[in-house]
Amino acid sequence: MSGHAFDRLSVLLVDDNHFMRGVLHTLLQALGVHRIYDATDGSAALKRLRNTPVDLVICDCETRPMDGLALTRTLRADTDPTRAMLPVILLSGHDDEARAAAARDAGVNEFLIKPLTPRTLYLRLLAAIETPRPFVRTASYYGPSRRRRARSPADGMPRDTTRYAGKAPVTLRQLSDLIDRLVS
Amino acid sequence: MSQPQVAGSGRTPPTRFAPGDGLDRRLLARAEAALADLTPQFLAMVRGELQRMQQALETARTRPESAAAARQAIFAAAHDLRGIGSTFGYPLVSRFAQSLCHYLQGRTVDLAVVQAHFEALSAVIENRVKGGGGPLAHRIGRALEALVTGHTGG
């Protein structure tokens, strides 16, 4: 049992899929979040944030016209420090390394690869809120440290990548394909 | 290469929340129950997307001038299904929809291949095939993916 205080958390959901927004809304409410706002894309989210400050943004990667990466980059460049440091959880249907790297370089705090489940959402909320990465600034980047935390709630998540010493990470999908090729 | 500097001398994003010590099982169970309660809406949403897909397929067959828009509509429906199927315990919906998305991103489109994906998705939903669906479903998935690979070259 823990002392989470999600009831004091305000969240902006950004997704152009009405049904997915409803699912996220339901899950967040069940986890105790009561102040939930909606936007259909990055531009609508930025407009909403001007009048409604929130504690966290959960954004789909592929919203149109402004996607989740562009929204995150715009937030990180904001002159208002609260908006610039606003935690962002990015939802993505793709598990490839390139997208994960793009999300990291845009300044995303947490990357949630679909399928969305109550557990993965809960873990990402905890990671973003309770063990936030320190913000760093370089010549070309401002955002959460891109180095993995020493320990976070999300560390208990099942991994979808397998890393062998000295080799690039192999996704389970690549592994399955490799096995198929070997069998045939 | 410049070394990362911790902005504002080690600032972390402002938070008003006290640290917890892990997952609250009661909260998690509540969220899982809330998700399960949405299953009828999920099935209705999938049927709606499949209906849109079927209409777009019909448009692509009968009105070549609207084929590009129809293809886009099919992709949009498949894209939405891909993202949500597994959340409700229907990974085959996500798998077949993913295969269809991949196919539609190729240069040429054979409507028979699209139709095969549509039939597979409909069969999963109408027969309530949850989970992996066993060897037959796996074979169907492999066959669809082989069709796509054959057309797109990978």
Side-chain angles (χ1 to χ4, degrees):
Chain A
M1 185 62 199
S2 66
H4 307 311
F6 289 157
D7 58 335
R8 284 180 285 151
L9 189 67
S10 56
V11 175
L12 176 62
L13 297 178
V14 189
D15 200 314
D16 49 10
N17 182 304
H18 175 75
F19 185 75
M20 185 55 103
R21 281 203 312 275
V23 170
L24 282 163
H25 216 281
T26 299
L27 288 177
L28 288 172
Q29 276 186 323
L31 290 171
V33 182
H34 303 302
R35 285 187 295 145
I36 307 167
Y37 307 95
D38 289 359
T40 53
D41 83 314
S43 312
L46 291 169
K47 262 185 216 160
R48 172 67 101 161
L49 288 169
R50 279 201 283 272
N51 304 316
T52 315
V54 297
D55 300 305
L56 176 79
V57 172
I58 300 177
C59 184
D60 187 79
C61 194
E62 296 180 43
T63 56
R64 289 180 190 176
M66 186 180 191
D67 68 22
L69 293 179
L71 169 63
T72 307
R73 281 191 287 264
T74 306
L75 285 172
R76 297 295 173 247
D78 202 298
T79 51
D80 177 327
T82 306
R83 277 200 292 271
M85 297 176 83
L86 192 56
V88 175
I89 299 176
L90 193 76
L91 301 176
S92 175
H94 302 275
D95 64 355
D96 55 285
E97 283 291 309
R99 275 175 211 259
R104 191 187 58 203
D105 292 344
V108 160
N109 296 66
E110 297 294 328
F111 191 54
L112 198 167
I113 298 165
K114 291 177 185 173
L116 171 73
T117 67
R119 183 180 167 78
T120 53
L121 179 63
Y122 191 176
L123 285 165
R124 294 306 187 208
L125 279 177
L126 287 180
I129 296 299
E130 296 202 343
T131 53
R133 299 163 196 247
F135 267 53
V136 297
R137 186 184 295 282
T138 68
S140 59
Y141 175 80
Y142 177 68
S145 166
R146 289 174 284 188
R147 292 179 183 169
R148 177 144 285 279
R149 284 172 293 250
R151 182 172 165 72
S152 81
D155 288 346
M157 293 181 70
R159 299 281 182 208
D160 60 358
T161 61
T162 310
R163 189 182 288 276
Y164 300 99
K167 289 190 176 179
V170 177
T171 66
L172 290 181
R173 189 174 300 158
Q174 288 167 327
L175 198 59
S176 169
D177 290 343
L178 182 66
I179 291 165
D180 283 347
R181 280 201 296 276
L182 287 173
V183 169
S184 63
Chain B
M1 186 182 145
S2 60
Q3 287 299 307
Q5 297 296 311
V6 176
S9 61
R11 286 169 68 193
T12 53
T15 172
R16 307 191 298 264
F17 306 96
D21 59 2
L23 297 182
D24 180 334
R25 303 289 156 194
R26 186 184 49 83
L27 269 189
L28 185 57
R30 198 164 74 185
E32 282 166 349
L35 185 69
D37 286 346
L38 288 178
T39 300
Q41 288 95 315
F42 163 74
L43 293 171
M45 182 277 290
V46 176
R47 287 200 184 94
E49 295 292 352
L50 289 174
Q51 205 171 2
R52 268 189 282 282
M53 208 181 270
Q54 192 173 27
Q55 285 164 353
L57 254 170
E58 190 57 25
T59 301
R61 274 199 199 94
T62 55
R63 291 165 47 202
E65 74 280 7
S66 304
R71 180 172 159 170
Q72 210 163 24
I74 295 168
F75 182 87
H79 180 268
D80 286 349
L81 294 180
R82 177 181 70 182
I84 197 72
S86 295
T87 297
F88 285 88
Y90 286 85
L92 288 174
V93 167
S94 291
R95 180 179 176 179
F96 297 165
Q98 160 70 22
S99 174
L100 181 53
C101 283
H102 185 196
Y103 179 64
L104 291 169
Q105 284 170 321
R107 261 197 225 161
T108 57
V109 169
D110 179 344
L111 292 181
V113 176
V114 179
Q115 182 75 37
H117 282 84
F118 168 79
E119 298 294 349
L121 286 163
S122 300
V124 169
I125 288 303
E126 296 316 322
N127 294 297
R128 302 276 205 284
V129 186
K130 294 191 88 173
L136 180 60
H138 187 60
R139 211 168 69 197
I140 293 167
R142 293 292 302 277
L144 289 174
E145 285 149 12
L147 271 176
V148 170
T149 306
H151 275 79
T152 60

